[in-house]
Amino acid sequence: MLNKLQYLSWVLSVLSVCFAVSAKAESQQSSLNHKPNNVSKITHLNEFPKITTVKELLSQSPTPSQSPSLVTGVRINQTQGGIEVILDSKEAEKLQPTSRSEGNSFIIDIPNAQLRLENENIFRQSKAIAGITVVEVINTQANGIRLTVTGEAALPKVELFDSDEGLIFGVTPATTATQPQETPQPEKPTSETPPQQPSADNQEPIELVVTGEQDGYRVPEASTATKIEVPIRDIPFSVKVVPRQVLEDQKVQRVTDALRNVAGVGADQSSRSAFDVYTIRGIPGRYFNNNIIINGLRDGYTFTAVDVANVEQIEVLKGPGAALFGQGQLGGTINVTTKQPLSTPAYSVEASFGNFNTYSGSIDLTGPLDENKNILYRFNAYGFSSDTFVDFFNTTRYSFAPALSIRLGESTKLTLEGQHTVIEQPNDRGLPARGTVLPNRNGEIPINRFLNEPSVDFTKIEVNRIGYQLDHRFSDSWQVRNAFRATFYNQPQSSGFANALLEDERTLERGIFEVNEQYGSSYILDTNVVGTFKTGSIEHKLLIGFDLYKFTYSNSSASVDIAPIDIFNPVYGRNLVGARTAEFPLSSTINEALGIYIQNQISFSNNLKLLLGGRFDIVNEKQENDVGEATAFQEDEAFSPRIGIVYQPIPPISLYASYGRSFQQSVGSGLDRRLFEPERGTQYEIGVKADLSDRLSATLAYYNLTRSNVLVTDPADPNFSIQTGEQKSQGVEVDIAGEILTGWKIIASSAYTNAEVTKDIAFSGNAINNVPEFSASLWTTYEIPKGDLQGLGFGFGLFYVGERQGDLGNTFSLPSYVRTDAALFYKRNNFRASVNIKNLFDTRYFETAESDLRVFPGDPLTVLGSVSWTF
C-alpha cells in the first residue's frame, strides 16, 4: 500500500512543480529606478492627528474585521537630495500611517498592514546614502508595519507622498537639509499629471531618528506551529523564538547554548558533544528520530551539531508536532531557520578568540546577481577550533552554506540551498558519578580529566545537504509550495567508553567501540497548498499537503579491548589498546514514511480563532544484513489530530487552549511474537499570551502530557520487552522576550516540571532523569542609545537549573547550579567589538548525565572576544 501511495504522491508532486514552473510569468519586476504613476503629495507626518486618549486611539484603529493590507515590496531610490523609501501595495488607499516619538526617536506605524516580501519579512538597508545609517521596515504586532530611519549625525527630513502603487517617503539627510541653500525637495516619480505642490504651511521638515536595532528580542511571527507565517498571539500552542540578535549578543557557538533561553528545554548531551539531543517538557529526545528540523523539513541527521553561523533564528514549538511533521518527540519541535538571500547587498566578517586556544571566524555575503534583482545569492562560511578545558580534547568544526534565490516570474520563486559541515574531535564520555556528584574516598575527580585513550579516540562527522524550495502564487489568496532536501552522512570513529568502576573507586574498566563504516542518507519531499477564503463572515486559512520521507543508516563495527585506567593517576598509551574481541558485520536500517496532512485556521471574528488539523501517516522500517537481505520488516499506520482555540478579550491578550497527539514507531515484537504498536503521546495545554507593549511579549502556559506504549522489560523474560510503560509530565512555563525601554532588551524564562514514570516494572514512581523540577534563565542587555557613549552596551545573564536525577533508576542526582554570564560590547556604524564571559564566577557544575559512569561537567570560566565588520 505504501509503495502505491508513494508513487501517487511523487506524480502529484511532479505535476505541481511542473505547473508552477510553467505558469505564465506576470509583469516583470520593476527596476530600482521605476517611478509609479499618479503620485500626489498628501501631508507631512507631523500633520497627522495627535492621539491623546484611548477613545481617540480606538476610533482611528482599522475595523477589526478588515484583513490586513499587504506590502509586497520595499524599494529605495536615490533622488537629487536624498532617497525615496517606497512601500509597494495594491491597497495603498488603506494604508494610514500614524506617528509617535520616544526621546529622540520618531517612529512611523502603519496599522492593519503586513509586510510580505519575497525572502524574509524584514527590510534593512545600511548606508542607503551619506548621512543615513539605516532604513528598516518590519512587522510589529499582528497587523502592523513600522518604518524607521536613522540619521548618521542628526535628524533627517521626511515627506510623505501617496501613489496608486503604495506609499513614498522622501528622505533628505540632515547634513543636506541644513545647508545654507534652498532645501531640495525629494524627487517625485514622473506622472502624467504633475503632482500637487505643497503649500508654504506644509514646508516644515519632519525629523526621524531611531536606534537602528530590530524591535528588541521580540519576534511577533513564527511558522513552525502551523507551517504558515502567522502572529504568535494567534497560535493556540506555546511557541518561543530565539532571534539572531540573541545569538549575536550571547556569542552562541552551539544550538545547545541558545536553547538555554527557552523554558522547559534541556540538553541531553554535554556542550562538548558532537551531537545535539534535547529533553523538552520532560520528554527525552532520540538520535535518529530527533526533535530538530531545518527550515520546516525533517532531517534524519540533525542530531549532529548544527552550524549557528548560518542560523537566522530558532523557533521552538512546545508539545506534539505530529499533526504537521509526522512521527517524533511528544515534548516539542525545534525548527532551525537558516539565513536566506537578500535583495540588498550586505557583507560581514567576524573573528573571535578566547581562552583554551579558542578561535572562530565567519563570512556572510549576500545580495543580487543581476540588475533587476531576480537572482539573489547568499554565502556563509564558518570555522571553529578549541582545545577545550578537557585534556586531549581538541575540537574543530567548519561549514560552508551557499544559497541561491531565483525569481522565475512575478509569482514564482525558486530557492536552492546547500551545506557542507565537518566536525572532528574525540568522543565525550564524561566522568563517573563517584568523585563528581557522589563522594569518592580517593578524592574529587578534576573536571578536565580525560578517561578515553587519546591515541585512538576520535570521531569525524561529515554532513552534506542540498535542496530546494519552490513557491508559486496563483493569487493573493492561494499558493503552492514544494520543497525537497537530500542529506548525506558519514562518520568513521573509534570511541572509548567506561564499563565499570571497581570497588577501589579509582580503577575504571574500559572498552573501545571501533566503527569501520558508518554512513547514511535521508530524503524528504514536501508539497502543500495554502489558501485563504471566506464562508459568509468566517475566514479560513487552509493548508493541505503531503510529504515523503526516506532514511537509511548503515554500520559495521568491532569491539576492542583496552587496559583499565586509574582515574586519579591516569596513564595513556597506544600500547594499552589490545585486539578486537568481537566483529559486527555491516547492517542497514531503512525507514520510509508517507504523511498526508490538513489544517484549517478559522477566524470567527477578529478575537476568536479555531485551529483544526490532523495527519495520517504510513511508516515502515526494514532491517538488512551485509548482503542486502531483509532480516525484519514492520509497517504501521497512525492518525495524529490536534485542535486549538484562541480568544482575545482585548487586543493585547490571547487566551488559548489546545489538544494534540504524537506517535513514534516501536519496532520489534514481544515474547508472544506480536509486533509492537507505535508509542503514543497526548498533551493538553492552556495558556495566556500577552503583548505587554509593542516591544515586549510574554507567554504563560500549563500543560499535561502522557507518553504511553513505552517499552519496558518483560518480567517473564528479561530478554524481551512489553508495551506497558507510561510516563507523565505536567508543568507551568513562562517565557518573556522583547525590549523594556529603548536600548534595554530582555529574554527570560522559568519552568516548573513534574515528570515521572507512572507505569513500569522497575521504575514506576521514579522521576525522569535530566529533568529539573525548577529551572529559569535571564539574559538582558542595555545599549546606550545616544550621546558620547552611544553604542556602548552591557549584558548580564543568569541560568538556573535545579536538582535532577542522573538516571532513570534514580540512583544518584545532579546538584542544582546557577551560571552567571556577562558581556561588554561596543557598536559604531558598521563596527562591533565585544567580550563575553561565561560562568563568570567559575562555578563547578554538571550539565547532564547518561549513567553513573557518564556525568558531564559544565565549562569553567570562559572568555571570548569578538570583532565584526559589516559593509
Side-chain angles (χ1 to χ4, degrees):
M1 179 180 178
L2 179 59
N3 291 334
K4 293 181 180 179
L5 288 174
Q6 284 179 325
Y7 175 76
L8 176 61
S9 300
W10 279 102
V11 171
L12 291 173
S13 179
V14 171
L15 289 175
S16 66
V17 173
C18 292
F19 179 85
V21 173
S22 62
K24 183 179 180 181
E26 300 179 13
S27 58
Q28 295 185 351
Q29 180 188 22
S30 301
S31 67
L32 183 63
N33 295 320
H34 171 70
K35 308 291 185 177
N37 293 328
N38 303 325
V39 179
S40 62
K41 176 79 172 291
I42 57 174
T43 186
H44 281 83
L45 291 178
N46 63 352
E47 295 177 70
F48 292 140
K50 302 296 182 180
I51 299 173
T52 58
T53 67
V54 173
K55 182 177 180 180
E56 292 176 0
L57 176 62
L58 294 176
S59 68
Q60 298 201 26
S61 299
T63 303
S65 60
Q66 292 179 346
S67 299
S69 301
L70 298 183
V71 173
T72 57
V74 180
R75 293 176 288 144
I76 294 182
N77 287 351
Q78 187 167 350
T79 62
Q80 180 179 357
I83 57 173
E84 292 175 338
V85 181
I86 305 173
L87 305 185
D88 295 327
S89 176
K90 296 180 180 179
E91 300 177 301
E93 71 281 356
K94 296 183 180 180
L95 302 179
Q96 300 177 357
T98 61
S99 63
R100 61 185 175 88
S101 61
E102 294 181 1
N104 66 338
S105 297
F106 194 96
I107 302 170
I108 305 170
D109 286 313
I110 306 174
N112 204 38
Q114 282 288 275
L115 201 59
R116 289 291 184 268
L117 305 182
E118 295 180 10
N119 301 289
E120 58 178 359
N121 293 327
I122 183 173
F123 176 90
R124 194 174 194 273
Q125 171 69 69
S126 299
K127 288 293 184 182
I129 192 175
I132 302 296
T133 60
V134 67
V135 175
E136 184 178 68
V137 185
I138 63 172
N139 287 318
T140 53
Q141 297 192 19
N143 296 326
I145 291 176
R146 176 173 300 156
L147 167 64
T148 57
V149 179
T150 303
E152 184 172 6
L155 308 177
K157 173 185 175 182
V158 173
E159 292 178 301
L160 173 64
F161 300 87
D162 185 23
S163 80
D164 293 340
E165 298 184 14
L167 296 181
I168 302 175
F169 296 87
V171 179
T172 305
T175 52
T176 302
T178 56
Q179 290 178 358
Q181 58 186 23
E182 182 180 357
T183 302
Q185 295 295 322
E187 182 182 300
K188 302 344 181 252
T190 58
S191 63
E192 297 179 1
T193 304
Q196 179 183 354
Q197 295 298 320
S199 65
D201 294 337
N202 294 335
Q203 292 298 320
E204 182 180 352
I206 301 304
E207 299 175 332
L208 295 165
V209 63
V210 294
T211 61
E213 291 294 324
Q214 296 183 11
D215 194 17
Y217 289 169
R218 175 179 177 269
V219 179
E221 294 187 341
S223 62
T224 306
T226 60
K227 275 186 179 281
I228 306 170
E229 195 83 7
V230 296
I232 292 176
R233 64 196 297 271
D234 292 343
I235 299 173
F237 312 100
S238 180
V239 178
K240 179 67 175 287
V241 181
V242 183
R244 182 70 202 175
Q245 191 63 51
V246 173
L247 305 184
E248 293 179 354
D249 289 349
Q250 294 183 351
K251 287 304 167 191
V252 166
Q253 301 291 333
R254 295 284 300 270
V255 173
T256 300
D257 292 331
L259 294 177
R260 294 180 187 273
N261 300 287
V262 183
V265 180
D268 271 350
Q269 297 288 308
S270 81
S271 58
R272 294 166 303 285
S273 175
F275 310 105
D276 287 330
V277 184
Y278 302 95
T279 292
I280 305 179
R281 288 186 166 177
I283 303 300
R286 303 181 181 184
Y287 279 96
F288 296 119
N289 293 305
N290 204 12
N291 49 354
I292 302 178
I293 60 177
I294 299 178
N295 293 333
L297 293 180
R298 293 179 61 192
D299 189 321
Y301 294 98
T302 49
F303 61 86
T304 58
V306 178
D307 167 27
V308 295
N310 191 39
V311 173
E312 185 61 36
Q313 66 184 32
I314 302 170
E315 300 180 10
V316 181
L317 166 64
K318 301 177 187 179
L324 291 179
F325 305 111
Q327 63 175 327
Q329 195 217 55
L330 169 63
T333 302
I334 300 167
N335 184 20
V336 177
T337 303
T338 61
K339 296 178 179 178
Q340 298 297 304
L342 304 178
S343 59
T344 303
Y347 318 99
S348 66
V349 294
E350 182 174 25
S352 301
F353 49 91
N355 56 340
F356 308 117
N357 291 323
T358 299
Y359 303 95
S360 68
S362 65
I363 300 174
D364 188 7
L365 312 174
T366 188
L369 292 177
D370 66 326
E371 182 178 354
N372 292 328
K373 300 184 179 182
N374 289 324
I375 303 177
L376 312 177
Y377 80 94
R378 191 150 195 169
F379 178 77
N380 192 285
Y382 171 75
F384 174 86
S385 175
S386 177
D387 290 347
T388 76
F389 71 91
V390 178
D391 297 338
F392 310 107
F393 199 102
N394 306 325
T395 180
T396 300
R397 303 193 303 267
Y398 59 88
S399 67
F400 307 94
L404 194 66
S405 177
I406 306 171
R407 187 171 184 175
L408 303 177
E410 188 67 24
S411 304
T412 307
K413 184 184 70 171
L414 174 67
T415 301
L416 307 173
E417 292 183 273
Q419 187 178 46
H420 172 71
T421 302
V422 175
I423 303 171
E424 298 181 32
Q425 64 175 67
N427 289 278
D428 188 11
R429 300 302 185 189
L431 301 171
R434 293 284 178 186
T436 53
V437 297
L438 293 176
N440 186 308
R441 61 175 176 266
N442 300 288
E444 193 174 72
I445 305 174
I447 63 172
N448 65 324
R449 185 61 41 86
F450 185 69
L451 298 179
N452 297 348
E453 175 49 51
S455 63
V456 298
D457 196 282
F458 80 95
T459 184
K460 180 178 180 180
I461 301 175
E462 183 175 349
V463 181
N464 294 291
R465 295 183 174 93
I466 186 169
Y468 72 82
Q469 180 169 321
L470 180 64
D471 297 329
H472 175 75
R473 282 193 172 273
F474 301 104
S475 66
D476 291 340
S477 301
W478 290 92
Q479 71 176 123
V480 61
R481 305 179 298 183
N482 175 262
F484 171 81
R485 183 191 297 131
T487 302
F488 306 96
Y489 170 86
N490 186 44
Q491 186 194 351
Q493 67 170 319
S494 176
S495 174
F497 58 91
N499 279 326
L501 182 65
L502 301 186
E503 292 184 2
D504 62 2
E505 296 187 346
R506 66 182 304 141
T507 303
L508 185 70
E509 291 187 342
R510 302 178 297 170
I512 294 178
F513 181 69
E514 189 175 276
V515 176
N516 305 318
E517 295 179 279
Q518 186 168 235
Y519 57 87
S521 61
S522 71
Y523 305 87
I524 184 165
L525 176 73
D526 184 26
T527 302
N528 58 63
V529 175
V530 181
T532 302
F533 61 94
K534 285 188 174 183
T535 55
S537 61
I538 301 175
E539 184 175 296
H540 303 262
K541 184 169 287 187
L542 184 66
L543 169 73
I544 302 177
F546 68 91
D547 59 44
L548 281 167
Y549 176 73
K550 183 175 182 179
F551 167 85
T552 64
Y553 171 77
S554 300
N555 175 281
S556 68
S557 59
S559 293
V560 180
D561 193 20
I562 185 174
I565 191 172
D566 186 338
I567 62 177
F568 291 97
N569 186 26
V571 176
Y572 308 99
R574 184 67 178 81
N575 61 309
L576 300 176
V577 181
R580 293 188 174 189
T581 58
E583 296 275 357
F584 305 96
L586 185 71
S587 63
S588 299
T589 299
I590 303 170
N591 294 110
E592 293 180 317
L594 166 66
I596 302 172
Y597 54 89
I598 183 171
Q599 174 184 274
N600 191 5
Q601 295 172 267
I602 306 170
S603 297
F604 295 102
S605 64
N606 189 56
N607 64 346
L608 181 61
K609 302 173 178 67
L610 177 69
L611 185 143
L612 299 171
R615 175 179 169 121
F616 176 73
D617 282 276
I618 304 175
V619 296
N620 67 48
E621 180 173 306
K622 180 170 62 174
Q623 304 283 343
E624 293 182 349
N625 59 20
D626 56 340
V627 295
E629 297 175 341
T631 58
F633 178 83
Q634 182 172 329
E635 184 170 281
D636 293 292
E637 299 177 358
F639 177 70
S640 304
R642 69 172 176 173
I643 182 173
I645 189 169
V646 178
Y647 173 65
Q648 295 157 339
I650 57 175
I653 301 294
S654 295
L655 309 177
Y656 73 91
S658 61
Y659 160 84
R661 300 202 71 192
S662 70
F663 82 99
Q664 181 70 56
Q665 188 180 29
S666 296
V667 178
S669 62
L671 185 61
D672 58 2
R673 301 301 179 187
R674 294 177 58 185
L675 295 177
F676 295 132
E677 296 290 326
E679 180 184 300
R680 298 307 304 246
T682 303
Q683 177 181 275
Y684 299 90
E685 179 177 347
I686 59 173
V688 181
K689 299 179 182 181
D691 291 333
L692 305 178
S693 70
D694 61 353
R695 297 185 179 189
L696 186 67
S697 296
T699 299
L700 170 65
Y702 166 79
Y703 65 88
N704 188 311
L705 58 84
T706 302
R707 182 184 174 200
S708 56
N709 286 350
V710 179
L711 294 178
V712 299
T713 302
D714 190 338
D717 188 335
N719 295 315
F720 290 87
S721 298
I722 56 176
Q723 281 192 294
T724 60
E726 181 184 83
Q727 298 177 3
K728 289 190 175 182
S729 178
Q730 59 181 334
V732 178
E733 298 171 343
V734 178
D735 282 298
I736 186 170
E739 193 167 4
I740 299 175
L741 298 172
T742 300
W744 183 9
K745 304 172 189 174
I746 184 175
I747 182 169
S749 68
S750 178
Y752 163 77
T753 309
N754 180 15
E756 64 176 351
V757 179
T758 50
K759 293 181 181 179
D760 194 287
I761 301 302
F763 305 127
S764 183
N766 286 7
I768 297 176
N769 53 310
N770 289 321
V771 180
E773 187 174 14
F774 295 98
S775 61
S777 69
L778 167 68
W779 172 260
T780 183
T781 62
Y782 179 73
E783 180 183 344
I784 299 174
K786 60 181 179 179
D788 295 337
L789 298 179
Q790 180 180 354
L792 180 64
F794 313 89
F796 179 76
L798 292 173
F799 301 92
Y800 169 76
V801 178
E803 183 179 4
R804 59 248 181 254
Q805 295 300 319
D807 60 4
L808 201 57
N810 291 184
T811 60
F812 71 100
S813 63
L814 305 181
S816 62
Y817 68 87
V818 176
R819 195 187 85 180
T820 305
D821 293 358
L824 175 67
F825 58 88
Y826 177 72
K827 294 190 294 184
R828 195 68 173 180
N829 297 328
N830 299 330
F831 173 77
R832 189 184 195 276
S834 66
V835 176
N836 285 71
I837 304 175
K838 297 181 180 180
N839 197 359
L840 177 65
F841 301 111
D842 200 19
T843 301
R844 178 184 167 100
Y845 68 97
F846 298 90
E847 296 177 303
T848 185
E850 294 182 7
S851 68
D852 61 352
L853 295 176
R854 296 184 182 182
V855 176
F856 301 100
D859 292 0
L861 173 67
T862 303
V863 181
L864 187 70
S866 301
V867 291
S868 63
W869 185 266
T870 303
F871 52 96

